């Protein structure tokens, strides 16, 4: 890369984990597509050896504008076990800071590339932004957050100081500016136990948010209009400017007919909007008891389903850090006789399926989802209504957004043991796929799909906002 004042150079730093790498790189691709005079250096910390999927994805990036490399990997044996994946990612990031500082220093002193104008880090790599401050680089957070979750994080330091006891124990809902009242039981997982290391980590980070130069959300105005208005009015609020630049999702397509998975051929044979897609993301697993109930509930519903099945686990986020899962055959854990009884009703895909292609297929009429933010945006962008089944992280709050605020989903009830029973599963599937309520949900998510598409147009709100951020960085690059 030639050193020239016409190029604006930024660095991006994801936290360890495939599900964090993809969004920040998709953001980078969007940035250089809209602003070809930008160059992005992606500096990637890793927990263990990088996955094959990560390497393959990096090799597919536009090589002229985006360069990437891995920091020395952190061994998982160096980290305390029995901690949440988010906390492990943060610790791995902390251990990677000396290597990161060395590389950023070298980039700032390089004679072959322009100095860095900005450093963009994701929410678990926020410590990298301290180095940005040291080097007089603009510090921006890129967050897989809804406007509501961003507003929630701005409130955490105040709640931590004023509320006694555990949040889920409070009988009354909490007020989150611009959002529907939120019960403590629907707070993100890291807020369920205030003595946990994960909670302390989040409070520590959220207290530092006001020092940032900006926060970019992978979201758009219509995903929370009232909250977006509150966030936009940051004068005197103490929080930094918030920029809604999404929805940015992976656009990876199938290479050719030869590579097309069998599940797509099966979908081709199904009637329009007749199939319920069931997937809990790259890090979602169920217990054996819950897996049995889900299987039998799908069977009882009588509706077609395509289920991305993982082997059961007592840990909901068992494969969080990996793009691949256990070598066990998950079909072996299904109820006896289930595959034979549902051979004309459903299709089971072990471990992984091409989600973007599935959601865009016209035979898919619903998505039973764990409510991860990537999956939520993908469902919205393809106009697929949801059954919300949150498992961990901030997924319960995302479910509240989808169910109560946007009303584009239905949510099953759990019993006293925390299990969703088969009859309940049957009823919510029928509600979504065949009832008048389901038709209303489909109409609302169709409208939201249109709003998402409009936000990403050349003159759309998110495109204009990203250009505003790019202009800030260009000015910073000129000043250096």
């Amino acid at each position: 890369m030639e050193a020239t004042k016409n190029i604006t150079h930024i660095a991006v730093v994801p936290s360890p984990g495939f599900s964090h790498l993809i969004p920040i790189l998709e953001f980078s691709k969007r940035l250089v597509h809209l602003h070809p005079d930008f160059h992005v250096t992606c500096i990637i910390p890793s927990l263990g050896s990088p996955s094959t999927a990560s390497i393959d994805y990096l090799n597919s990036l536009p090589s002229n504008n985006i360069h990437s490399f891995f920091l020395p990997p952190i061994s998982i044996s160096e980290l305390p076990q029995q901690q949440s994946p988010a906390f492990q990612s943060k610790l791995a990031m902390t251990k990677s800071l000396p290597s990161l500082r060395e590389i950023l220093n070298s980039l700032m002193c390089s004679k072959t590339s322009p100095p860095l104008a900005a450093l963009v880090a994701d929410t678990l790599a926020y410590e990298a932004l301290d180095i940005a401050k040291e080097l007089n680089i603009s510090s921006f957070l890129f967050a897989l957050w809804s406007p509501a979750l961003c507003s929630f994080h701005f409130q955490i330091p105040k709640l931590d100081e004023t509320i006694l006891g555990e949040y889920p124990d409070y009988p009354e809902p909490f007020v989150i500016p611009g959002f529907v009242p939120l019960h403590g039981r629907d707070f993100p997982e890291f807020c369920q136990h205030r003595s946990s290391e994960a909670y302390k980590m989040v409070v520590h980070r959220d207290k530092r948010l006001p020092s940032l130069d900006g926060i970019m959300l992978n979201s758009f105005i219509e995903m929370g209009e009232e909250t977006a208005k509150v966030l936009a009015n940051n004068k005197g609020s103490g929080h930094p400017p918030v920029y809604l630049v999404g929805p940015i999702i992976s656009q990876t397509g199938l290479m050719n007919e030869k590579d097309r998975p069998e599940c797509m051929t099966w979908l081709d044979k199904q009637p329009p909007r007749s199939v319920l897609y069931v997937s809990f993301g790259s890090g979602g697993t169920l217990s054996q008891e819950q897996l049995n109930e889900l299987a039998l509930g799908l069977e009882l519903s009588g509706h077609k389903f395509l289920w991305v099945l993982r082997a059961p686990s007592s840990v909901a986020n068992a494969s969080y850090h990996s793009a691949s899962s256990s070598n066990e055959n998950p079909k072996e854990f299904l109820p006896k006789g289930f595959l034979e009884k549902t051979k004309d009703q459903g299709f089971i895909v072990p471990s992984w399926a091409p989600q973007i292609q599935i959601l865009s297929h016209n035979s898919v009429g619903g998505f039973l989802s764990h409510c991860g933010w990537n999956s939520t945006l993908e469902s919205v962008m393809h106009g697929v209504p949801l059954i919300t089944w949150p498992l961990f992280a901030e997924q319960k709050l995302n479910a509240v957004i989808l169910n109560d605020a946007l009303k584009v989903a239905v949510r099953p009830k759990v019993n006293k043991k925390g299990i969703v029973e088969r009859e309940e599963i049957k009823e919510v599937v029928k509600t979504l796929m065949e009832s008048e309520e389901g038709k209303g949900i489909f109409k609302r998510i169709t409208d939201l799909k249109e709003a998402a598409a409009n936000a990403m147009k050349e003159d759309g709100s998110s495109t204009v906002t990203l250009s505003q951020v790019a202009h800030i960085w260009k000015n910073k690059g000129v000043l250096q």
Side-chain angles (χ1 to χ4, degrees):
M1 177 174 54
E2 295 182 3
T4 168
K5 64 182 179 180
N6 294 323
I7 293 176
T8 302
H9 187 193
I10 71 165
V12 298
V13 182
S15 53
F18 186 72
S19 62
H20 286 270
L21 174 65
I22 300 304
I24 207 163
L25 284 175
E26 288 295 327
F27 161 77
S28 301
K29 287 164 62 177
R30 172 86 175 152
L31 175 67
V32 300
H33 171 73
L34 293 172
H35 302 277
D37 54 343
F38 267 76
H39 183 87
V40 179
T41 298
C42 183
I43 307 167
I44 310 167
S46 58
L47 188 52
S49 300
S51 69
T52 302
S54 297
I55 295 170
D56 289 345
Y57 183 82
L58 291 169
N59 289 336
S60 73
L61 294 173
S63 58
N64 290 338
N65 296 82
I66 303 175
H67 288 131
S68 60
F69 51 87
F70 289 92
L71 295 176
I74 303 301
S75 171
I76 198 165
S77 64
E78 297 179 43
L79 305 179
Q81 305 304 303
Q82 307 306 318
Q83 291 285 356
S84 71
F87 188 63
Q88 287 192 327
S89 285
K90 185 266 180 188
L91 290 179
M93 186 66 235
T94 301
K95 288 180 175 290
S96 298
L97 288 177
S99 299
L100 176 64
R101 178 179 278 103
E102 183 179 341
I103 287 171
L104 290 175
N105 271 311
S106 67
L107 289 173
M108 292 299 291
C109 299
S110 173
K111 295 181 179 180
T112 60
S113 66
L116 292 172
L119 179 65
V120 180
D122 83 9
T123 50
L124 294 177
Y126 67 92
E127 289 174 302
L129 299 178
D130 291 338
I131 304 175
K133 292 293 184 183
E134 294 172 16
L135 299 175
N136 193 29
I137 305 170
S138 291
S139 57
F140 277 70
L141 199 69
F142 179 73
L144 304 183
W145 292 349
S146 64
L149 184 57
C150 186
S151 183
F152 176 83
H153 279 291
F154 288 153
Q155 299 303 306
I156 280 288
K158 180 180 177 181
L159 291 176
D160 187 63
E161 291 176 359
T162 58
I163 301 298
L164 299 175
E166 299 288 0
Y167 301 124
D169 294 338
Y170 268 69
E172 299 298 320
F174 294 86
V175 175
I176 306 299
F179 191 52
V180 297
L182 187 68
H183 286 278
R185 62 177 178 269
D186 287 324
F187 277 19
E189 180 187 37
F190 52 75
C191 286
Q192 298 297 312
H193 302 286
R194 295 176 69 178
S195 62
S196 70
E197 293 298 326
Y199 176 74
K200 295 173 185 176
M201 172 193 78
V202 170
V203 172
H204 180 248
R205 181 198 62 201
D206 290 353
K207 286 181 177 179
R208 298 161 75 181
L209 293 178
S211 69
L212 301 180
D213 293 306
I215 297 175
M216 293 180 291
L217 304 184
N218 191 9
S219 190
F220 58 104
I221 292 171
E222 288 79 4
M223 286 298 283
E225 292 191 50
E226 291 303 314
T227 322
K229 289 178 185 176
V230 170
L231 295 177
N233 185 24
N234 71 313
K235 290 182 179 179
S237 67
H239 68 68
V242 177
Y243 304 95
L244 276 66
V245 299
I248 301 171
I249 64 172
S250 173
Q251 301 295 337
T252 303
L254 298 169
M255 296 299 292
N256 52 52
E257 191 64 31
K258 175 170 65 76
D259 297 326
R260 200 164 188 256
E262 188 181 353
C263 65
M264 300 304 297
T265 304
W266 181 82
L267 283 175
D268 292 341
K269 300 174 184 177
Q270 310 310 319
R273 293 185 53 216
S274 65
V275 176
L276 178 71
Y277 173 53
V278 181
S279 176
F280 296 96
S282 60
T285 56
L286 304 176
S287 67
Q288 180 67 68
E289 181 181 2
Q290 184 61 87
L291 188 151
N292 290 343
E293 290 297 312
L294 177 54
L296 297 173
L298 292 172
E299 179 187 348
L300 287 171
S301 77
H303 281 275
K304 301 274 188 175
F305 62 87
L306 192 164
W307 184 1
V308 182
L309 180 67
R310 292 181 179 274
S313 170
S314 60
V315 182
N317 45 30
S319 51
Y320 181 87
H321 284 296
S322 174
S324 60
S325 62
S326 165
N327 291 325
E328 294 177 289
N329 180 4
K331 293 183 181 180
E332 295 177 358
F333 297 92
L334 290 166
K336 186 176 181 180
F338 174 78
L339 289 174
E340 179 62 27
K341 286 186 287 185
T342 59
K343 63 181 181 180
D344 296 323
Q345 179 187 355
F347 193 97
I348 302 291
V349 182
S351 302
W352 181 89
Q355 182 159 293
I356 297 291
Q357 288 73 30
I358 290 170
L359 290 172
S360 63
H361 200 286
N362 69 354
S363 69
V364 174
F367 181 12
L368 193 159
S369 171
H370 66 308
C371 306
W373 194 240
N374 288 333
S375 290
T376 295
L377 291 179
E378 289 163 5
S379 198
V380 166
M381 289 190 76
H382 292 96
V384 181
L386 296 113
I387 295 172
T388 56
W389 193 304
L391 294 177
F392 60 95
E394 82 294 346
Q395 293 164 11
K396 288 183 179 179
L397 190 150
N398 292 342
V400 173
I401 294 169
L402 295 166
N403 290 107
D404 300 341
L406 299 173
K407 302 186 186 302
V408 294
V410 292
R411 185 173 181 177
K413 298 180 179 66
V414 299
N415 66 16
K416 293 180 179 179
K417 293 171 59 181
I419 297 293
V420 184
E421 298 176 351
R422 65 193 71 174
E423 287 292 333
E424 176 68 10
I425 294 165
K426 178 188 78 172
E427 291 305 319
V428 294
V429 173
K430 285 181 170 291
T431 295
L432 188 72
M433 302 294 286
E434 63 186 55
S435 73
E436 288 301 314
E437 180 183 347
K439 291 177 182 177
I441 289 172
F442 178 70
K443 170 65 168 63
R444 287 187 288 275
I445 203 163
T446 300
D447 292 343
L448 200 57
K449 173 187 176 181
E450 183 177 356
N454 288 337
M456 299 297 279
K457 289 180 178 177
E458 186 176 349
D459 59 349
S461 60
S462 293
T463 303
V464 170
T465 299
L466 182 53
S467 293
Q468 291 171 352
V469 175
H471 182 70
I472 293 169
W473 292 342
K474 286 179 183 179
N475 286 341
K476 179 72 173 178
V478 168
L479 290 172
Q480 293 218 348

